[in-house]
Amino acid sequence: MPQVQLIPASAEGALDAAEEAVDLLLDTGRAPGDILVLTTGDPHPWAAHELSFGEESYWAQHDARDDVFYADAAQIQRAAGRPVVVFAANGGSIEAAAGTLPVALARAGALLIVCGDAQQINSMLGAGV
């Protein structure tokens, strides 16, 4: 079972908190290809930009595992597991987030970092794990 780390943040601040978590992981020697970032609300700007070139090139980057990969939590079934999954609860429905959080936990090899409302996350993890 991966270690779970909670970073309390508002829905508006969850993406920034996830970015800081990724920076810290990279600064401490984690390989970029080890990290998957999932968002529940608006897509990460990188994902939105890359998807503008089409799904095929976007998922090719996922498969190459050269870099941090950003995906919508709704795409979690398609996203392969990585040693570290950063889950940004940055909006969207609580039901959708609650449904994808256990899958994110299953995808995380060593560490799941969840950025979001601590009370909501704890109740989701309590229900889902």
Side-chain angles (χ1 to χ4, degrees), residues 23-52:
D23 288 344
L24 189 62
L25 288 162
L26 296 173
D27 289 348
T28 55
R30 191 49 93 167
D34 283 357
I35 304 168
L36 170 65
V37 180
L38 298 168
T39 56
T40 61
D42 289 335
H44 186 276
W46 179 90
H49 175 76
E50 292 302 321
L51 278 165
S52 71

Side-chain angles (χ1 to χ4, degrees), residues 28 32 72 86 88 97 114 125:
T28 55
D72 187 299
V86 180
V114 185
L125 283 170

Side-chain angles (χ1 to χ4, degrees), residues 18-121:
E19 283 290 307
E20 287 171 24
V22 168
D23 288 344
L24 189 62
L25 288 162
L26 296 173
D27 289 348
T28 55
R30 191 49 93 167
D34 283 357
I35 304 168
L36 170 65
V37 180
L38 298 168
T39 56
T40 61
D42 289 335
H44 186 276
W46 179 90
H49 175 76
E50 292 302 321
L51 278 165
S52 71
F53 300 109
E55 292 260 336
E56 199 171 312
S57 68
Y58 172 74
W59 287 105
Q61 293 189 59
H62 166 267
D63 297 340
R65 291 179 169 264
D66 292 333
D67 211 343
V68 178
F69 191 78
Y70 298 86
D72 187 299
Q75 300 165 314
I76 194 161
Q77 299 303 341
R78 183 155 178 193
R82 291 199 175 184
V84 181
V85 174
V86 180
F87 188 92
N90 65 326
S93 78
I94 293 180
E95 293 76 21
T100 50
L101 193 55
V103 187
L105 184 63
R107 290 282 191 279
L111 177 63
L112 172 65
I113 299 173
V114 185
C115 308
D117 181 283
Q119 223 173 343
Q120 284 178 357
I121 303 294

